[in-house]
Amino acid sequence: MSVGFMGIQFGFALQNANTSRIFSTLGANADEIPILWVAAPLTGLLVQPVIGYLSDRTWHPTWGRRRPFFFAGAILATIALIAMPQSSMLWMAGAILWMMDASINVSMEPFRAFVGDMLPKEQRTTGFSVQTFFIGVGAMIASGLPSVLDYFGIQNTAPAGIVPDTVRYSFYIGAFAYFTCILWTVLNTKEYPPEDMEEFEREREEMNFMHGVKETVSGLFEMPKVMKQLAVVQFFSWFSLFCMWIFTTNAVTKNIFGTTDTSSEIYNQGANFVGICFLVYNGVSMIFALFLPTLAGKFGRKLTHLICLTAGGLGLISIMFVSSKYALIPSFVGIGLAWSSILAMPYAMLSGSLPANKMGYYMGVFNFFIVIPQVIASLGLQKFMEIMQLEPIHIVTLGGVLMIVGGLLTLRVDDND
């Protein structure tokens, strides 16, 4: 099960670490990059509740409930990963980002519900933590690929407007890893059939477009209390993460490597080092995930999440005061602690409050509070930067402050299964 998530994170990590680099290479200015990213969160906003609703009402004797969606998303994501570094114009890269994020969401949303389907409540904290471990494995390898390929002599620079070979080949490797891991999961996992097959068949017969729209809208007003409380935490956490993903490359290459020339060797060395920093936070997340169940058992899931988000927020803030590339490493260690908890604790707290027959749907709705802050960031940060005359490093710092706010808001959550 977790091998599939490892594959998904190959694609997700390549997207997060390299998309801004590709946009900059194709001529985007720093303050234009947020609006180019808007495709990714908008896609999640539309896709995940729909996929959750459909997967809740899917059952095939061979394919099960969630696995058809894993496989369909994997095919589309593989195509998008191969196409992304072939982009020659900004509009093309933006369109492929839309396709890539939609495809990743088709695979990823059912995986969240899959853990809830397969594990009893007392094992879900451990289940989501193990899932986080495998997410870290995939993301760590993917984030470091451009630097590894550069070490082995693959060309790391290219003429203006051309994506370097190190990035192109990284995406090709990621496409292979994504598809292979998902295929392994599809072929080697079994799913439990619905407990009440007659009721399930009745609900499936009622399924149509209007019924789906009605249930989706009504479900937004019937969210469990815990879900509403966690929604606010997610808003601040993911707004800060989006600030990091969008602006770290521009902040580091300008403030530490001292250049904005995307065709220069020093810029591409800086962009590769950002990949190393992302490798660090994913590696820390992977290792720390093994200890999360113990810490949550001792201190409670709320306090554990608060501590981790505070560490991540301080890590993001500290980037502003760093003057050498190696001094970035401790900053991203803190971010790794936060990322590990973000991938596990909210879902562990949420899953115990959800009805089993709507697990996929509510996990999809919960994604609203991940993508809405990203949509706001994509649409609003460009104007905010212009009015306040801010640089990318200032937005990364803002992200750190908001992550700490999200941690404090965790204390309001009623964490009871």
Side-chain angles (χ1 to χ4, degrees):
M1 170 166 46
S2 294
V3 171
F5 229 117
M6 182 171 67
I8 290 172
Q9 290 307 308
F10 251 93
F12 194 49
L14 286 168
Q15 173 183 300
N16 290 340
N18 296 286
T19 297
S20 289
R21 179 179 183 176
I22 291 172
F23 285 156
S24 295
T25 298
L26 297 176
N29 296 322
D31 60 354
E32 295 173 330
I33 288 177
I35 194 66
L36 292 169
W37 270 86
V38 73
L42 275 177
T43 303
L45 189 67
L46 298 171
V47 169
Q48 289 219 15
V50 174
I51 295 300
Y53 175 84
L54 292 175
S55 68
D56 282 340
R57 287 158 178 77
T58 296
W59 180 255
H60 187 275
T62 302
W63 284 82
R65 173 178 289 172
R66 315 293 181 186
R67 286 178 293 159
F69 299 92
F70 301 165
F71 190 67
I75 293 173
L76 295 172
T78 299
I79 295 170
L81 285 165
I82 293 171
M84 185 65 171
Q86 302 295 328
S87 302
S88 57
M89 290 175 281
L90 271 175
W91 70 264
M92 186 184 300
I96 295 173
L97 174 62
W98 196 297
M99 175 184 173
M100 182 163 56
D101 203 81
S103 306
I104 292 173
N105 275 293
V106 170
S107 293
M108 185 164 60
E109 152 51 32
F111 262 103
R112 297 291 189 196
F114 200 34
V115 176
D117 291 342
M118 304 296 283
L119 296 177
K121 292 178 181 179
E122 62 272 13
Q123 294 181 10
R124 285 177 185 164
T125 299
T126 301
F128 283 111
S129 297
V130 170
Q131 190 180 76
T132 299
F133 173 83
F134 280 94
I135 287 172
V137 173
M140 184 175 67
I141 297 171
S143 297
L145 273 176
S147 292
V148 172
L149 294 175
D150 182 28
Y151 177 81
F152 284 102
I154 304 299
Q155 190 66 35
N156 191 46
T157 58
I162 304 295
V163 177
D165 286 347
T166 51
V167 177
R168 288 198 301 115
Y169 293 140
S170 294
F171 273 79
Y172 301 157
I173 294 169
F176 175 79
Y178 194 116
F179 186 79
T180 302
C181 290
I182 292 291
L183 183 63
W184 190 94
T185 298
V186 168
L187 296 178
N188 289 278
T189 55
K190 301 291 184 182
E191 297 184 68
Y192 301 127
E195 292 183 4
D196 188 339
M197 186 60 75
E198 290 186 9
E199 175 66 15
F200 175 81
E201 291 294 345
R202 186 188 64 78
E203 289 185 1
R204 187 157 65 172
E205 287 175 5
E206 292 178 355
M207 187 175 72
N208 55 55
F209 178 77
M210 289 308 301
H211 183 267
V213 171
K214 179 180 178 181
E215 185 160 319
T216 298
V217 173
S218 64
L220 289 173
F221 298 97
E222 299 170 1
M223 292 186 297
K225 182 180 179 182
V226 171
M227 190 170 173
K228 295 176 183 178
Q229 294 167 335
L230 284 168
V232 185
V233 177
Q234 293 290 83
F235 181 92
F236 286 100
S237 302
W238 284 86
F239 194 104
S240 65
L241 288 171
F242 206 59
C243 290
M244 178 185 73
W245 291 329
I246 293 176
F247 286 113
T248 298
T249 297
N250 296 83
V252 169
T253 52
K254 181 176 182 179
N255 289 67
I256 296 178
F257 287 80
T259 183
T260 57
D261 180 4
T262 60
S263 63
S264 67
E265 176 67 25
I266 191 67
Y267 175 90
N268 285 287
Q269 287 178 359
N272 277 4
F273 195 79
V274 170
I276 295 297
C277 291
F278 280 30
L279 180 155
V280 168
Y281 91 71
N282 282 296
V284 170
S285 170
M286 174 189 72
I287 296 169
F288 188 64
L290 300 175
F291 300 95
L292 271 176
T294 301
L295 292 173
K298 183 174 182 179
F299 299 110
R301 292 183 289 205
K302 293 194 298 184
L303 185 57
T304 299
H305 199 48
L306 166 61
I307 293 169
C308 292
L309 290 186
T310 301
L314 293 174
L316 284 170
I317 292 169
S318 68
I319 294 173
M320 186 171 187
F321 304 99
V322 167
S323 58
S324 70
K325 65 179 185 179
Y326 293 111
L328 285 169
I329 301 302
S331 301
F332 281 86
V333 169
I335 295 166
L337 301 180
W339 181 233
S340 184
S341 189
I342 287 169
L343 292 174
M345 289 299 108
Y347 297 97
M349 287 187 273
L350 175 66
S351 60
S353 67
L354 299 181
N357 66 330
K358 292 188 177 182
M359 184 73 70
Y361 164 69
Y362 273 121
M363 285 292 184
V365 171
F366 193 52
N367 189 62
F368 282 2
F369 308 106
I370 293 175
V371 299
I372 288 173
Q374 296 179 46
V375 172
I376 293 173
S378 297
L379 297 177
L381 280 178
Q382 179 179 1
K383 195 65 177 178
F384 180 66
M385 291 173 72
E386 290 175 358
I387 294 173
M388 303 301 293
Q389 297 184 325
L390 299 177
E391 297 287 336
I393 189 65
H394 300 132
I395 303 301
V396 174
T397 304
L398 172 65
V401 173
L402 295 180
M403 186 171 283
I404 295 172
V405 172
L408 293 171
L409 289 169
T410 306
L411 299 176
R412 299 174 57 250
V413 178
D414 296 330
D415 183 20
N416 298 304
D417 283 331

